[in-house]
Amino acid sequence: MVEAFVRLLCPECGKDWETNPTELPAHRDNFSCQGCGVTRRTAEFMRTERDLQTLKQFE
């Protein structure tokens, strides 16, 4: 079994990281950066459209 992951990039501080999409809230829900604490919709943290599509598959 292949594990899925999504790449995130904070639009505020530029912190980037990877995580399992099942550990994130839905793409329209709020999510906070672990680095600077800014809160925005989860979709705004997805690095690419492919990462967003992967997240949506796990909702």
Side-chain angles (χ1 to χ4, degrees):
M1 182 169 120
V2 176
E3 285 192 41
F5 69 92
V6 291
R7 296 173 301 159
L8 296 97
L9 177 66
C10 178
E12 190 71 27
C13 72
K15 175 184 168 86
D16 63 330
W17 68 100
E18 295 178 354
T19 192
N20 187 315
T22 61
E23 297 175 1
L24 294 171
H27 75 282
R28 291 186 178 139
D29 293 343
N30 285 337
F31 178 73
S32 296
C33 174
Q34 299 167 351
C36 69
V38 69
T39 300
R40 297 191 182 180
R41 291 183 327 144
T42 308
E44 294 182 46
F45 285 90
M46 296 297 106
R47 183 174 284 197
T48 65
E49 185 66 30
R50 184 172 178 93
D51 293 316
L52 179 58
Q53 293 306 318
T54 301
L55 176 64
K56 288 179 179 180
Q57 290 177 356
F58 285 87
E59 291 180 0

